[in-house]
């Protein structure tokens, strides 16, 4: 079987993420990783918190704690949420780790040795009150375009215009609030992307045809517009330090690498963190070094991250002239909005991941988000759509089927799977249908088409309901008890099949369905086409129990409560 390296875009350390962040990176990566493991592949799913940069320093300052303490606490808080969503990372690391520092510095040295990093003098804002150069985000003021009085020196979050610090009216330091600012000359390191542009373009051309259109079009747009040399250092106290053995002057000035230089390297760093926990049995280099022939590397991210992963990170790795593994497929997602507008922490608008888990179990959210993933275009979360999906797909189509079959069989035949007649024409027809739908599900999962995969899974669930309605065992039992027993035995085998193939989407519910049957040995990873056709995995005489209601239906009162708490169409 193949070896699959999976990474999802690193969630930034500052704050709990909203549902759009979850569906655009970590959740689909988890679904795909789970599916690949079920196929018997060797899978390594790596993620981490992205901990460097200006916002982390400012957030720590607001709380009055050291930035290292802030990041440690925020990492644990985020990890708890992701555990709640049952994200099965093989390792969830931290970009502030010693491993990432070490690898980032080594890559920078290699780039310099190969002539792809150079020092350049630039003019930058200096705060006399703070005694330091200020990164653009450390400068705030009034936007000259819309009048917003808390615009940052790189962009106004109100009107989204890109800015330079000198554009701001009444500019001031975000650290001290002082307006005693001046422009001075300082030196920074630049990655010479313009020199590497031809190599990056050739690299993209080799593989982008196998990427979803969203990712390939963004990468080619950046290449068409031309790659520019990019500053990869900043004046911050928190970050990967510029190594003194290579750039003593800049190291003495306290320069650190720009967060977008070291954050993608943390995919490698986190893999080393994972390996360092069990060095006798784990080899991080086998995934990242000279591994092009046997490792398939897939990245998951929102569309805003595509330029960095399709252009800047590959340029970085190509420039080292070392055999680093580079991505094979980038799966990009559009935005998930909230009633057509942005999620907003400051306006308390939208659903954030910790709040979602407070309301309902993770499987409700996992299924809804993947079934409505913003793959082809931006999509919008509404409580009406969420409620309708939960009630129709999860409560009625799947949950009600499981409860009807097991409850009725227990009532009429006891606590063991009934025997009944041999499978007949209806069962043969059902088996063929299930095998076809399962093949469609597998095709879409392997193509990373998650909405279509969810539709195939939903169709599998619906096929069971159609069979049950056709056979109507509650009527059949009045005239043909063995026939009714056959119907229920077949339906129970469908439940077990659902427990296996639904696991990537709804792992907790899948485990509950599987546990309903007391099979002596149940280590089945997947379902073959022949097994789908025969529907005989759970034999007659197998003890079973009726689980609690799998999915509770949401009421109109629930809907109104959620809209009132989180904002709705009128927000």
């Amino acid at each position: 079987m193949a070896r699959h390296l999976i990474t999802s875009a690193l969630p930034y350390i500052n704050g709990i993420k909203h549902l759009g962040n979850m569906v655009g990176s970590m959740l689909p990566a988890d679904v795909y990783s789970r599916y690949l493991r079920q196929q018997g592949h060797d899978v390594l799913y790596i993620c981490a918190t992205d901990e460097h940069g200006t916002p982390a320093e400012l957030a720590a300052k607001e709380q009055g704690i050291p930035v290292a303490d802030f990041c440690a606490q925020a990492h644990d808080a985020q990890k708890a949420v992701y555990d709640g969503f049952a994200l099965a990372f093989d390792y969830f690391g931290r970009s502030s780790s010693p491993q990432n520092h070490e690898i980032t510095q080594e890559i920078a040295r290699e780039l310099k040795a190969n002539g792809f990093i150079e020092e350049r003098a630039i003019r930058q804002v200096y705060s006399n009150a703070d005694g330091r150069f200020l990164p653009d985000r450390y400068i705030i003021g009034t936007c000259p375009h819309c009048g917003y009085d808390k615009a940052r020196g790189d962009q106004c979050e109100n009107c989204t215009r890109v800015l330079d610090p000198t554009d701001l009216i009444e500019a001031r330091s975000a650290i001290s609030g002082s307006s005693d600012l001046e422009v001075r000359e300082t030196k920074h390191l630049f990655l010479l992307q313009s020199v590497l542009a031809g190599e990056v373009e050739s690299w993209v051309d080799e593989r982008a045809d196998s990427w979803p259109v969203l990712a390939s079009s963004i990468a080619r747009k950046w290449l068409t517009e031309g790659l520019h040399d990019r500053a990869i250092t900043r004046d911050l106290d928190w970050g990967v330090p510029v190594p003194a053995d290579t750039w003593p002057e800049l190291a003495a000035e306290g320069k650190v690498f720009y967060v977008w230089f070291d954050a993608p390297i943390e995919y490698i760093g986190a893999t080393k963190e994972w390996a360092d926990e069990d060095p006798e049995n784990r080899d991080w280099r086998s995934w990242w070094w000279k591994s092009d022939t046997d490792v398939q590397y897939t990245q998951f991210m929102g569309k805003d991250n595509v330029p960095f992963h399709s252009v800047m990170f590959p340029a970085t790795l190509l420039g080292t002239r070392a055999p680093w593994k580079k991505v094979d497929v980038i799966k990009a997602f559009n935005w998930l909005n909230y009633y057509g507008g942005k999620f907003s922490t400051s306006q308390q608008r939208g659903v954030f991941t910790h709040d979602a888990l407070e309301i309902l179990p993770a499987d409700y959210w996992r299924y809804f988000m993947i079934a409505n993933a913003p793959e082809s275009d931006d999509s919008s979360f509404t409580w009406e759509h969420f409620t309708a999906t939960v009630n129709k797909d999860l409560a009625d189509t799947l949950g009600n089927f499981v409860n009807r079959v097991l409850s009725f069989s227990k009532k009429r035949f006891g606590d063991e799977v009934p025997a009944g007649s041999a499978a007949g024409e209806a069962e043969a027809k059902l088996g063929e249908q299930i095998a076809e739908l399962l093949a469609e599900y597998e095709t879409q999962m392997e193509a990373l088409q998650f909405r279509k995969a969810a539709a195939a899974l939903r169709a599998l669930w619906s096929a069971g309901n159609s069979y049950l309605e056709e056979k109507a065992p509650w009527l059949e039992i009045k005239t043909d008890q063995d026939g009714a027993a056959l119907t229920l035995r077949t339906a129970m085998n469908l439940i077990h099949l659902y427990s296996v193939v639904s696991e990537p989407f709804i792992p907790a519910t899948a485990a509950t369905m599987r546990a309903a049957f007391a099979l002596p040995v149940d280590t089945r990873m997947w379902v073959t086409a022949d097994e789908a056709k025969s529907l005989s995995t759970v034999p007659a005489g197998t003890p079973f129990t009726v689980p609690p209601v799998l999915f509770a239906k949401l009421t109109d009162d629930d809907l109104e409560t959620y809209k009132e708490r989180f904002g709705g169409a009128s927000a």
Side-chain angles (χ1 to χ4, degrees), residues 559-571:
L559 174 62
E560 292 307 315
T561 298
Y562 299 150
K563 290 175 66 175
E564 182 177 351
R565 176 176 174 180
F566 297 101
S570 61

Side-chain angles (χ1 to χ4, degrees), residues 169-207:
I169 301 168
E170 298 180 349
R172 58 196 183 276
S173 165
I175 302 172
S176 62
S178 171
S179 58
D180 184 9
L181 308 177
E182 60 183 77
V183 178
R184 295 185 183 179
E185 186 174 278
T186 185
K187 288 184 177 180
H188 279 283
L189 299 180
F190 279 73
L191 176 64
L192 304 185
Q193 292 189 141
S194 61
V195 181
L196 288 160
E199 292 181 49
V200 175
E201 186 168 10
S202 296
W203 177 84
V204 169
D205 287 342
E206 287 176 4
R207 62 197 66 203

Side-chain angles (χ1 to χ4, degrees), residues 32-64:
Y32 187 55
S33 297
R34 287 176 177 274
Y35 173 78
L36 291 174
R37 290 190 188 102
Q38 287 184 298
Q39 307 307 306
H41 297 299
D42 185 8
V43 177
L44 184 64
Y45 176 22
I46 294 293
C47 194
T49 37
D50 177 6
E51 300 190 4
H52 295 137
T54 309
E57 280 196 358
L58 292 178
K61 180 178 180 295
E62 288 178 7
Q63 294 188 18

Side-chain angles (χ1 to χ4, degrees), residues 244-257:
D245 60 1
T246 311
W247 294 281
E249 180 183 346
L250 298 188
E253 294 175 3
K255 308 283 187 186
V256 301
F257 286 107

Side-chain angles (χ1 to χ4, degrees), residues 409-431:
S409 189
K410 178 180 174 66
K411 179 179 178 181
R412 304 307 294 265
F413 293 100
D415 295 333
E416 294 183 354
V417 176
S421 307
E425 184 179 339
E427 287 71 38
K429 178 182 175 183
L430 173 66

Side-chain angles (χ1 to χ4, degrees), residues 194-493:
S194 61
V195 181
L196 288 160
E199 292 181 49
V200 175
E201 186 168 10
S202 296
W203 177 84
V204 169
D205 287 342
E206 287 176 4
R207 62 197 66 203
D209 286 343
S210 65
W211 299 355
V213 172
L214 178 61
S216 61
S217 62
I218 292 173
R220 287 188 166 120
K221 179 175 183 292
W222 270 56
L223 290 167
T224 299
E225 293 175 352
L227 298 189
H228 303 287
D229 300 338
R230 190 181 189 99
I232 58 169
T233 50
R234 292 290 187 270
D235 293 280
L236 296 170
D237 295 326
W238 177 243
V240 178
V242 169
D245 60 1
T246 311
W247 294 281
E249 180 183 346
L250 298 188
E253 294 175 3
K255 308 283 187 186
V256 301
F257 286 107
Y258 175 41
V259 64
W260 259 113
F261 182 74
D262 82 83
I265 296 171
E266 168 58 8
Y267 297 134
I268 306 171
T271 308
K272 190 172 189 300
E273 293 170 52
W274 164 80
D276 286 349
E277 288 191 342
D278 187 9
E280 292 186 4
N281 298 300
R282 299 174 180 175
D283 179 10
W284 68 275
R285 283 184 176 270
S286 73
W287 294 93
W288 285 103
W289 196 260
K290 298 181 180 178
S291 57
D292 281 324
T293 57
D294 70 335
V295 173
Q296 174 74 11
Y297 179 17
T298 309
Q299 293 177 340
F300 292 81
M301 68 198 65
K303 60 185 177 183
D304 57 325
N305 285 328
V306 171
F308 298 99
H309 289 79
S310 65
V311 174
M312 183 175 175
F313 187 37
T316 298
L317 296 182
L318 287 165
T320 66
R321 300 304 188 229
W324 291 110
K325 174 65 185 177
K326 291 168 280 293
V327 67
D328 294 296
V329 177
I330 295 176
K331 173 64 176 179
F333 291 83
N334 289 283
W335 301 135
L336 175 67
N337 294 314
Y338 187 80
Y339 282 92
K342 290 183 178 181
F343 287 80
S344 172
T345 306
S346 60
Q347 298 176 26
Q348 295 184 322
R349 186 166 184 271
V351 190
F352 287 74
T353 48
H354 63 312
D355 293 323
L357 293 178
E358 180 186 317
I359 297 169
L360 291 166
D363 281 358
Y364 289 68
W365 301 103
R366 287 178 63 103
Y367 175 78
F368 174 82
M369 284 190 282
I370 294 296
N372 297 280
E375 292 177 298
S376 58
D377 206 346
D378 290 352
S379 62
S380 186
F381 177 95
T382 71
W383 285 109
E384 291 83 357
H385 187 200
F386 177 75
T387 300
T389 300
V390 167
N391 289 349
K392 181 180 178 183
D393 293 359
L394 297 178
D396 287 344
T397 305
L398 178 61
N400 189 45
F401 175 78
V402 172
N403 184 264
R404 287 167 74 192
V405 169
L406 297 180
S407 296
F408 185 71
S409 189
K410 178 180 174 66
K411 179 179 178 181
R412 304 307 294 265
F413 293 100
D415 295 333
E416 294 183 354
V417 176
S421 307
E425 184 179 339
E427 287 71 38
K429 178 182 175 183
L430 173 66
E432 291 289 341
Q433 182 185 14
I434 293 297
E436 289 177 8
L437 291 171
L438 181 60
E440 171 67 9
Y441 178 53
E442 292 169 341
T443 296
Q444 299 304 338
M445 287 290 277
E446 288 161 11
L448 304 177
Q449 293 294 320
F450 292 101
R451 290 180 72 150
K452 291 179 179 179
L457 180 61
R458 186 188 311 122
L460 280 164
W461 298 343
S462 295
N465 283 277
S466 297
Y467 170 75
L468 205 63
E469 291 300 318
E470 177 188 343
K471 293 295 292 291
W474 50 89
L475 299 177
E476 192 177 20
I477 198 169
K478 296 177 182 178
T479 58
D480 184 359
Q481 187 160 335
D482 284 345
L486 163 64
T487 300
L488 293 169
R489 188 182 79 237
T490 303
M492 289 186 190
N493 272 278

